[in-house]
PDB file of all heavy atoms in Angstrom:
ATOM      1  N   ASP A   1      -1.031  -8.565   7.768  1.00  0.00           N
ATOM      2  CA  ASP A   1       0.316  -8.617   8.338  1.00  0.00           C
ATOM      3  C   ASP A   1       1.401  -8.303   7.315  1.00  0.00           C
ATOM      4  O   ASP A   1       2.562  -8.171   7.672  1.00  0.00           O
ATOM      5  CB  ASP A   1       0.579 -10.000   8.951  1.00  0.00           C
ATOM      6  CG  ASP A   1      -0.364 -10.311  10.111  1.00  0.00           C
ATOM      7  OD1 ASP A   1      -0.901  -9.358  10.718  1.00  0.00           O
ATOM      8  OD2 ASP A   1      -0.571 -11.499  10.399  1.00  0.00           O
ATOM      9  N   GLY A   2       1.034  -8.215   6.034  1.00  0.00           N
ATOM     10  CA  GLY A   2       1.980  -7.848   4.991  1.00  0.00           C
ATOM     11  C   GLY A   2       2.976  -8.938   4.631  1.00  0.00           C
ATOM     12  O   GLY A   2       4.036  -8.651   4.076  1.00  0.00           O
ATOM     13  N   MET A   3       2.629 -10.184   4.933  1.00  0.00           N
ATOM     14  CA  MET A   3       3.529 -11.288   4.590  1.00  0.00           C
ATOM     15  C   MET A   3       3.428 -11.587   3.100  1.00  0.00           C
ATOM     16  O   MET A   3       2.414 -11.302   2.467  1.00  0.00           O
ATOM     17  CB  MET A   3       3.155 -12.538   5.403  1.00  0.00           C
ATOM     18  CG  MET A   3       3.355 -12.372   6.899  1.00  0.00           C
ATOM     19  SD  MET A   3       2.698 -13.745   7.883  1.00  0.00           S
ATOM     20  CE  MET A   3       3.880 -15.030   7.524  1.00  0.00           C
ATOM     21  N   THR A   4       4.485 -12.163   2.541  1.00  0.00           N
ATOM     22  CA  THR A   4       4.468 -12.587   1.146  1.00  0.00           C
ATOM     23  C   THR A   4       3.770 -13.943   1.052  1.00  0.00           C
ATOM     24  O   THR A   4       3.578 -14.631   2.062  1.00  0.00           O
ATOM     25  CB  THR A   4       5.893 -12.738   0.593  1.00  0.00           C
ATOM     26  OG1 THR A   4       6.542 -13.814   1.297  1.00  0.00           O
ATOM     27  CG2 THR A   4       6.696 -11.448   0.742  1.00  0.00           C
ATOM     28  N   PHE A   5       3.422 -14.343  -0.170  1.00  0.00           N
ATOM     29  CA  PHE A   5       2.822 -15.667  -0.346  1.00  0.00           C
ATOM     30  C   PHE A   5       3.793 -16.751   0.103  1.00  0.00           C
ATOM     31  O   PHE A   5       3.387 -17.763   0.672  1.00  0.00           O
ATOM     32  CB  PHE A   5       2.403 -15.901  -1.797  1.00  0.00           C
ATOM     33  CG  PHE A   5       1.141 -15.175  -2.170  1.00  0.00           C
ATOM     34  CD1 PHE A   5       1.152 -14.211  -3.158  1.00  0.00           C
ATOM     35  CD2 PHE A   5      -0.058 -15.456  -1.533  1.00  0.00           C
ATOM     36  CE1 PHE A   5      -0.017 -13.539  -3.503  1.00  0.00           C
ATOM     37  CE2 PHE A   5      -1.228 -14.786  -1.868  1.00  0.00           C
ATOM     38  CZ  PHE A   5      -1.204 -13.829  -2.863  1.00  0.00           C
ATOM     39  N   HIS A   6       5.066 -16.538  -0.140  1.00  0.00           N
ATOM     40  CA  HIS A   6       6.079 -17.507   0.290  1.00  0.00           C
ATOM     41  C   HIS A   6       6.076 -17.638   1.814  1.00  0.00           C
ATOM     42  O   HIS A   6       6.123 -18.748   2.354  1.00  0.00           O
ATOM     43  CB  HIS A   6       7.458 -17.074  -0.222  1.00  0.00           C
ATOM     44  CG  HIS A   6       8.518 -18.080   0.033  1.00  0.00           C
ATOM     45  ND1 HIS A   6       9.277 -18.090   1.188  1.00  0.00           N
ATOM     46  CD2 HIS A   6       8.948 -19.131  -0.702  1.00  0.00           C
ATOM     47  CE1 HIS A   6      10.116 -19.093   1.149  1.00  0.00           C
ATOM     48  NE2 HIS A   6       9.945 -19.751   0.010  1.00  0.00           N
ATOM     49  N   GLU A   7       6.009 -16.525   2.514  1.00  0.00           N
ATOM     50  CA  GLU A   7       5.986 -16.538   3.983  1.00  0.00           C
ATOM     51  C   GLU A   7       4.700 -17.174   4.520  1.00  0.00           C
ATOM     52  O   GLU A   7       4.738 -17.934   5.492  1.00  0.00           O
ATOM     53  CB  GLU A   7       6.128 -15.115   4.528  1.00  0.00           C
ATOM     54  CG  GLU A   7       7.493 -14.514   4.266  1.00  0.00           C
ATOM     55  CD  GLU A   7       7.558 -13.022   4.538  1.00  0.00           C
ATOM     56  OE1 GLU A   7       6.520 -12.325   4.386  1.00  0.00           O
ATOM     57  OE2 GLU A   7       8.649 -12.554   4.915  1.00  0.00           O
ATOM     58  N   VAL A   8       3.575 -16.857   3.884  1.00  0.00           N
ATOM     59  CA  VAL A   8       2.299 -17.451   4.294  1.00  0.00           C
ATOM     60  C   VAL A   8       2.358 -18.964   4.111  1.00  0.00           C
ATOM     61  O   VAL A   8       1.975 -19.730   5.005  1.00  0.00           O
ATOM     62  CB  VAL A   8       1.118 -16.858   3.488  1.00  0.00           C
ATOM     63  CG1 VAL A   8      -0.171 -17.619   3.750  1.00  0.00           C
ATOM     64  CG2 VAL A   8       0.939 -15.375   3.805  1.00  0.00           C
ATOM     65  N   ALA A   9       2.854 -19.391   2.960  1.00  0.00           N
ATOM     66  CA  ALA A   9       2.953 -20.821   2.676  1.00  0.00           C
ATOM     67  C   ALA A   9       3.835 -21.519   3.702  1.00  0.00           C
ATOM     68  O   ALA A   9       3.469 -22.583   4.219  1.00  0.00           O
ATOM     69  CB  ALA A   9       3.494 -21.036   1.264  1.00  0.00           C
ATOM     70  N   ALA A  10       4.964 -20.937   4.016  1.00  0.00           N
ATOM     71  CA  ALA A  10       5.876 -21.537   4.992  1.00  0.00           C
ATOM     72  C   ALA A  10       5.229 -21.607   6.375  1.00  0.00           C
ATOM     73  O   ALA A  10       5.328 -22.615   7.071  1.00  0.00           O
ATOM     74  CB  ALA A  10       7.179 -20.744   5.052  1.00  0.00           C
ATOM     75  N   ALA A  11       4.539 -20.553   6.770  1.00  0.00           N
ATOM     76  CA  ALA A  11       3.915 -20.506   8.095  1.00  0.00           C
ATOM     77  C   ALA A  11       2.798 -21.540   8.230  1.00  0.00           C
ATOM     78  O   ALA A  11       2.604 -22.112   9.302  1.00  0.00           O
ATOM     79  CB  ALA A  11       3.360 -19.109   8.368  1.00  0.00           C
ATOM     80  N   LEU A  12       2.076 -21.788   7.131  1.00  0.00           N
ATOM     81  CA  LEU A  12       0.959 -22.724   7.175  1.00  0.00           C
ATOM     82  C   LEU A  12       1.334 -24.133   6.722  1.00  0.00           C
ATOM     83  O   LEU A  12       0.505 -25.038   6.787  1.00  0.00           O
ATOM     84  CB  LEU A  12      -0.201 -22.196   6.310  1.00  0.00           C
ATOM     85  CG  LEU A  12      -0.852 -20.891   6.788  1.00  0.00           C
ATOM     86  CD1 LEU A  12      -1.938 -20.447   5.811  1.00  0.00           C
ATOM     87  CD2 LEU A  12      -1.423 -21.054   8.191  1.00  0.00           C
ATOM     88  N   GLY A  13       2.563 -24.298   6.225  1.00  0.00           N
ATOM     89  CA  GLY A  13       3.001 -25.604   5.754  1.00  0.00           C
ATOM     90  C   GLY A  13       2.286 -26.046   4.487  1.00  0.00           C
ATOM     91  O   GLY A  13       1.944 -27.217   4.336  1.00  0.00           O
ATOM     92  N   ILE A  14       2.050 -25.088   3.576  1.00  0.00           N
ATOM     93  CA  ILE A  14       1.352 -25.373   2.321  1.00  0.00           C
ATOM     94  C   ILE A  14       2.181 -24.837   1.158  1.00  0.00           C
ATOM     95  O   ILE A  14       3.174 -24.134   1.362  1.00  0.00           O
ATOM     96  CB  ILE A  14      -0.061 -24.735   2.311  1.00  0.00           C
ATOM     97  CG1 ILE A  14       0.022 -23.210   2.492  1.00  0.00           C
ATOM     98  CG2 ILE A  14      -0.944 -25.362   3.386  1.00  0.00           C
ATOM     99  CD1 ILE A  14      -1.315 -22.478   2.397  1.00  0.00           C
ATOM    100  N   SER A  15       1.752 -25.140  -0.060  1.00  0.00           N
ATOM    101  CA  SER A  15       2.459 -24.633  -1.233  1.00  0.00           C
ATOM    102  C   SER A  15       2.142 -23.153  -1.440  1.00  0.00           C
ATOM    103  O   SER A  15       1.124 -22.644  -0.945  1.00  0.00           O
ATOM    104  CB  SER A  15       2.052 -25.420  -2.485  1.00  0.00           C
ATOM    105  OG  SER A  15       0.713 -25.125  -2.841  1.00  0.00           O
ATOM    106  N   ILE A  16       2.994 -22.494  -2.188  1.00  0.00           N
ATOM    107  CA  ILE A  16       2.779 -21.082  -2.502  1.00  0.00           C
ATOM    108  C   ILE A  16       1.506 -20.929  -3.328  1.00  0.00           C
ATOM    109  O   ILE A  16       0.721 -20.003  -3.113  1.00  0.00           O
ATOM    110  CB  ILE A  16       4.001 -20.491  -3.242  1.00  0.00           C
ATOM    111  CG1 ILE A  16       5.221 -20.515  -2.314  1.00  0.00           C
ATOM    112  CG2 ILE A  16       3.714 -19.074  -3.733  1.00  0.00           C
ATOM    113  CD1 ILE A  16       6.532 -20.189  -3.003  1.00  0.00           C
ATOM    114  N   GLY A  17       1.269 -21.846  -4.245  1.00  0.00           N
ATOM    115  CA  GLY A  17       0.052 -21.808  -5.056  1.00  0.00           C
ATOM    116  C   GLY A  17      -1.199 -21.917  -4.209  1.00  0.00           C
ATOM    117  O   GLY A  17      -2.187 -21.212  -4.449  1.00  0.00           O
ATOM    118  N   LEU A  18      -1.183 -22.797  -3.217  1.00  0.00           N
ATOM    119  CA  LEU A  18      -2.342 -22.943  -2.340  1.00  0.00           C
ATOM    120  C   LEU A  18      -2.520 -21.685  -1.490  1.00  0.00           C
ATOM    121  O   LEU A  18      -3.651 -21.240  -1.269  1.00  0.00           O
ATOM    122  CB  LEU A  18      -2.207 -24.176  -1.450  1.00  0.00           C
ATOM    123  CG  LEU A  18      -3.361 -24.430  -0.476  1.00  0.00           C
ATOM    124  CD1 LEU A  18      -4.707 -24.469  -1.191  1.00  0.00           C
ATOM    125  CD2 LEU A  18      -3.117 -25.713   0.305  1.00  0.00           C
ATOM    126  N   ALA A  19      -1.431 -21.105  -1.036  1.00  0.00           N
ATOM    127  CA  ALA A  19      -1.526 -19.859  -0.269  1.00  0.00           C
ATOM    128  C   ALA A  19      -2.208 -18.779  -1.112  1.00  0.00           C
ATOM    129  O   ALA A  19      -3.099 -18.068  -0.632  1.00  0.00           O
ATOM    130  CB  ALA A  19      -0.142 -19.397   0.176  1.00  0.00           C
ATOM    131  N   HIS A  20      -1.819 -18.681  -2.363  1.00  0.00           N
ATOM    132  CA  HIS A  20      -2.413 -17.701  -3.275  1.00  0.00           C
ATOM    133  C   HIS A  20      -3.901 -17.995  -3.451  1.00  0.00           C
ATOM    134  O   HIS A  20      -4.733 -17.079  -3.399  1.00  0.00           O
ATOM    135  CB  HIS A  20      -1.687 -17.749  -4.624  1.00  0.00           C
ATOM    136  CG  HIS A  20      -2.110 -16.674  -5.558  1.00  0.00           C
ATOM    137  ND1 HIS A  20      -3.162 -16.827  -6.433  1.00  0.00           N
ATOM    138  CD2 HIS A  20      -1.642 -15.420  -5.746  1.00  0.00           C
ATOM    139  CE1 HIS A  20      -3.309 -15.719  -7.130  1.00  0.00           C
ATOM    140  NE2 HIS A  20      -2.404 -14.848  -6.726  1.00  0.00           N
ATOM    141  N   ARG A  21      -4.255 -19.255  -3.644  1.00  0.00           N
ATOM    142  CA  ARG A  21      -5.650 -19.634  -3.846  1.00  0.00           C
ATOM    143  C   ARG A  21      -6.499 -19.307  -2.614  1.00  0.00           C
ATOM    144  O   ARG A  21      -7.612 -18.791  -2.736  1.00  0.00           O
ATOM    145  CB  ARG A  21      -5.764 -21.114  -4.172  1.00  0.00           C
ATOM    146  CG  ARG A  21      -7.166 -21.484  -4.653  1.00  0.00           C
ATOM    147  CD  ARG A  21      -7.320 -22.945  -4.933  1.00  0.00           C
ATOM    148  NE  ARG A  21      -7.932 -23.517  -3.730  1.00  0.00           N
ATOM    149  CZ  ARG A  21      -7.717 -24.725  -3.266  1.00  0.00           C
ATOM    150  NH1 ARG A  21      -6.896 -25.537  -3.875  1.00  0.00           N
ATOM    151  NH2 ARG A  21      -8.319 -25.150  -2.187  1.00  0.00           N
ATOM    152  N   LEU A  22      -5.979 -19.567  -1.419  1.00  0.00           N
ATOM    153  CA  LEU A  22      -6.724 -19.292  -0.197  1.00  0.00           C
ATOM    154  C   LEU A  22      -6.996 -17.799  -0.036  1.00  0.00           C
ATOM    155  O   LEU A  22      -8.104 -17.396   0.331  1.00  0.00           O
ATOM    156  CB  LEU A  22      -5.972 -19.833   1.025  1.00  0.00           C
ATOM    157  CG  LEU A  22      -5.837 -21.350   1.113  1.00  0.00           C
ATOM    158  CD1 LEU A  22      -4.953 -21.727   2.301  1.00  0.00           C
ATOM    159  CD2 LEU A  22      -7.188 -22.028   1.203  1.00  0.00           C
ATOM    160  N   VAL A  23      -5.989 -16.987  -0.310  1.00  0.00           N
ATOM    161  CA  VAL A  23      -6.159 -15.530  -0.206  1.00  0.00           C
ATOM    162  C   VAL A  23      -7.182 -15.059  -1.238  1.00  0.00           C
ATOM    163  O   VAL A  23      -8.071 -14.254  -0.923  1.00  0.00           O
ATOM    164  CB  VAL A  23      -4.811 -14.800  -0.365  1.00  0.00           C
ATOM    165  CG1 VAL A  23      -5.015 -13.288  -0.478  1.00  0.00           C
ATOM    166  CG2 VAL A  23      -3.884 -15.132   0.798  1.00  0.00           C
ATOM    167  N   ARG A  24      -7.087 -15.574  -2.450  1.00  0.00           N
ATOM    168  CA  ARG A  24      -8.037 -15.191  -3.506  1.00  0.00           C
ATOM    169  C   ARG A  24      -9.458 -15.598  -3.116  1.00  0.00           C
ATOM    170  O   ARG A  24     -10.401 -14.816  -3.294  1.00  0.00           O
ATOM    171  CB  ARG A  24      -7.641 -15.821  -4.838  1.00  0.00           C
ATOM    172  CG  ARG A  24      -8.523 -15.375  -5.995  1.00  0.00           C
ATOM    173  CD  ARG A  24      -8.109 -15.972  -7.327  1.00  0.00           C
ATOM    174  NE  ARG A  24      -8.346 -17.412  -7.314  1.00  0.00           N
ATOM    175  CZ  ARG A  24      -7.402 -18.347  -7.480  1.00  0.00           C
ATOM    176  NH1 ARG A  24      -6.152 -17.985  -7.686  1.00  0.00           N
ATOM    177  NH2 ARG A  24      -7.702 -19.627  -7.447  1.00  0.00           N
ATOM    178  N   GLU A  25      -9.623 -16.803  -2.569  1.00  0.00           N
ATOM    179  CA  GLU A  25     -10.951 -17.252  -2.135  1.00  0.00           C
ATOM    180  C   GLU A  25     -11.513 -16.339  -1.042  1.00  0.00           C
ATOM    181  O   GLU A  25     -12.704 -16.000  -1.062  1.00  0.00           O
ATOM    182  CB  GLU A  25     -10.890 -18.692  -1.631  1.00  0.00           C
ATOM    183  CG  GLU A  25     -10.720 -19.711  -2.727  1.00  0.00           C
ATOM    184  CD  GLU A  25     -10.513 -21.119  -2.197  1.00  0.00           C
ATOM    185  OE1 GLU A  25     -10.527 -21.335  -0.962  1.00  0.00           O
ATOM    186  OE2 GLU A  25     -10.324 -22.020  -3.033  1.00  0.00           O
ATOM    187  N   ALA A  26     -10.674 -15.945  -0.106  1.00  0.00           N
ATOM    188  CA  ALA A  26     -11.122 -15.058   0.960  1.00  0.00           C
ATOM    189  C   ALA A  26     -11.528 -13.702   0.407  1.00  0.00           C
ATOM    190  O   ALA A  26     -12.574 -13.145   0.800  1.00  0.00           O
ATOM    191  CB  ALA A  26     -10.019 -14.888   2.010  1.00  0.00           C
ATOM    192  N   MET A  27     -10.748 -13.176  -0.500  1.00  0.00           N
ATOM    193  CA  MET A  27     -11.068 -11.874  -1.082  1.00  0.00           C
ATOM    194  C   MET A  27     -12.362 -11.943  -1.893  1.00  0.00           C
ATOM    195  O   MET A  27     -13.203 -11.031  -1.815  1.00  0.00           O
ATOM    196  CB  MET A  27      -9.910 -11.381  -1.937  1.00  0.00           C
ATOM    197  CG  MET A  27      -8.681 -11.030  -1.107  1.00  0.00           C
ATOM    198  SD  MET A  27      -7.277 -10.483  -2.068  1.00  0.00           S
ATOM    199  CE  MET A  27      -7.886  -8.955  -2.714  1.00  0.00           C
ATOM    200  N   THR A  28     -12.539 -13.020  -2.635  1.00  0.00           N
ATOM    201  CA  THR A  28     -13.758 -13.196  -3.421  1.00  0.00           C
ATOM    202  C   THR A  28     -14.973 -13.309  -2.505  1.00  0.00           C
ATOM    203  O   THR A  28     -16.025 -12.717  -2.766  1.00  0.00           O
ATOM    204  CB  THR A  28     -13.636 -14.449  -4.313  1.00  0.00           C
ATOM    205  OG1 THR A  28     -12.520 -14.284  -5.196  1.00  0.00           O
ATOM    206  CG2 THR A  28     -14.891 -14.679  -5.131  1.00  0.00           C
ATOM    207  N   HIS A  29     -14.824 -14.045  -1.421  1.00  0.00           N
ATOM    208  CA  HIS A  29     -15.916 -14.202  -0.457  1.00  0.00           C
ATOM    209  C   HIS A  29     -16.289 -12.860   0.170  1.00  0.00           C
ATOM    210  O   HIS A  29     -17.475 -12.517   0.263  1.00  0.00           O
ATOM    211  CB  HIS A  29     -15.514 -15.214   0.623  1.00  0.00           C
ATOM    212  CG  HIS A  29     -16.570 -15.449   1.646  1.00  0.00           C
ATOM    213  ND1 HIS A  29     -17.706 -16.173   1.383  1.00  0.00           N
ATOM    214  CD2 HIS A  29     -16.674 -15.044   2.940  1.00  0.00           C
ATOM    215  CE1 HIS A  29     -18.468 -16.207   2.462  1.00  0.00           C
ATOM    216  NE2 HIS A  29     -17.855 -15.538   3.422  1.00  0.00           N
ATOM    217  N   CYS A  30     -15.302 -12.098   0.579  1.00  0.00           N
ATOM    218  CA  CYS A  30     -15.569 -10.783   1.186  1.00  0.00           C
ATOM    219  C   CYS A  30     -16.231  -9.852   0.178  1.00  0.00           C
ATOM    220  O   CYS A  30     -17.184  -9.134   0.526  1.00  0.00           O
ATOM    221  CB  CYS A  30     -14.278 -10.175   1.715  1.00  0.00           C
ATOM    222  SG  CYS A  30     -13.631 -10.985   3.176  1.00  0.00           S
ATOM    223  N   ALA A  31     -15.754  -9.860  -1.042  1.00  0.00           N
ATOM    224  CA  ALA A  31     -16.342  -8.992  -2.075  1.00  0.00           C
ATOM    225  C   ALA A  31     -17.803  -9.369  -2.326  1.00  0.00           C
ATOM    226  O   ALA A  31     -18.654  -8.488  -2.469  1.00  0.00           O
ATOM    227  CB  ALA A  31     -15.532  -9.098  -3.365  1.00  0.00           C
ATOM    228  N   ALA A  32     -18.081 -10.665  -2.343  1.00  0.00           N
ATOM    229  CA  ALA A  32     -19.460 -11.116  -2.562  1.00  0.00           C
ATOM    230  C   ALA A  32     -20.357 -10.671  -1.408  1.00  0.00           C
ATOM    231  O   ALA A  32     -21.504 -10.265  -1.618  1.00  0.00           O
ATOM    232  CB  ALA A  32     -19.500 -12.630  -2.715  1.00  0.00           C
ATOM    233  N   ARG A  33     -19.856 -10.747  -0.212  1.00  0.00           N
ATOM    234  CA  ARG A  33     -20.636 -10.316   0.956  1.00  0.00           C
ATOM    235  C   ARG A  33     -20.901  -8.811   0.908  1.00  0.00           C
ATOM    236  O   ARG A  33     -21.973  -8.357   1.313  1.00  0.00           O
ATOM    237  CB  ARG A  33     -19.913 -10.673   2.253  1.00  0.00           C
ATOM    238  CG  ARG A  33     -19.983 -12.133   2.637  1.00  0.00           C
ATOM    239  CD  ARG A  33     -21.395 -12.538   3.034  1.00  0.00           C
ATOM    240  NE  ARG A  33     -21.953 -11.629   4.011  1.00  0.00           N
ATOM    241  CZ  ARG A  33     -21.943 -11.803   5.322  1.00  0.00           C
ATOM    242  NH1 ARG A  33     -21.436 -12.888   5.830  1.00  0.00           N
ATOM    243  NH2 ARG A  33     -22.442 -10.885   6.124  1.00  0.00           N
ATOM    244  N   LEU A  34     -19.957  -8.050   0.419  1.00  0.00           N
ATOM    245  CA  LEU A  34     -20.145  -6.606   0.335  1.00  0.00           C
ATOM    246  C   LEU A  34     -21.171  -6.239  -0.728  1.00  0.00           C
ATOM    247  O   LEU A  34     -21.802  -5.178  -0.665  1.00  0.00           O
ATOM    248  CB  LEU A  34     -18.822  -5.894   0.050  1.00  0.00           C
ATOM    249  CG  LEU A  34     -17.862  -5.864   1.227  1.00  0.00           C
ATOM    250  CD1 LEU A  34     -16.484  -5.406   0.762  1.00  0.00           C
ATOM    251  CD2 LEU A  34     -18.384  -4.970   2.335  1.00  0.00           C
ATOM    252  N   ASP A  35     -21.369  -7.112  -1.720  1.00  0.00           N
ATOM    253  CA  ASP A  35     -22.336  -6.868  -2.791  1.00  0.00           C
ATOM    254  C   ASP A  35     -23.758  -7.255  -2.405  1.00  0.00           C
ATOM    255  O   ASP A  35     -24.700  -6.891  -3.091  1.00  0.00           O
ATOM    256  CB  ASP A  35     -21.948  -7.628  -4.058  1.00  0.00           C
ATOM    257  CG  ASP A  35     -20.804  -6.966  -4.792  1.00  0.00           C
ATOM    258  OD1 ASP A  35     -20.534  -5.776  -4.548  1.00  0.00           O
ATOM    259  OD2 ASP A  35     -20.160  -7.646  -5.615  1.00  0.00           O
ATOM    260  N   ARG A  36     -23.934  -7.999  -1.306  1.00  0.00           N
ATOM    261  CA  ARG A  36     -25.264  -8.430  -0.862  1.00  0.00           C
ATOM    262  C   ARG A  36     -26.013  -7.269  -0.236  1.00  0.00           C
ATOM    263  O   ARG A  36     -25.420  -6.434   0.443  1.00  0.00           O
ATOM    264  CB  ARG A  36     -25.159  -9.507   0.218  1.00  0.00           C
ATOM    265  CG  ARG A  36     -24.816 -10.845  -0.276  1.00  0.00           C
ATOM    266  CD  ARG A  36     -24.970 -11.814   0.888  1.00  0.00           C
ATOM    267  NE  ARG A  36     -24.190 -13.002   0.632  1.00  0.00           N
ATOM    268  CZ  ARG A  36     -23.911 -13.913   1.533  1.00  0.00           C
ATOM    269  NH1 ARG A  36     -24.318 -13.769   2.784  1.00  0.00           N
ATOM    270  NH2 ARG A  36     -23.214 -14.978   1.233  1.00  0.00           N
ATOM    271  N   PRO A  37     -27.343  -7.243  -0.452  1.00  0.00           N
ATOM    272  CA  PRO A  37     -28.116  -6.228   0.273  1.00  0.00           C
ATOM    273  C   PRO A  37     -28.118  -6.553   1.768  1.00  0.00           C
ATOM    274  O   PRO A  37     -28.013  -7.730   2.136  1.00  0.00           O
ATOM    275  CB  PRO A  37     -29.534  -6.362  -0.305  1.00  0.00           C
ATOM    276  CG  PRO A  37     -29.548  -7.610  -1.103  1.00  0.00           C
ATOM    277  CD  PRO A  37     -28.129  -8.043  -1.341  1.00  0.00           C
TER     278      PRO A  37
END
């Protein structure tokens, strides 16, 4: 959706740092799945 971390945090009622961590965790998870046979 192209939202900023600030916008994501506000929409979810969380801190900007947590928003960043959640996005990073999702990206890491997807990358790991793409590396699996």
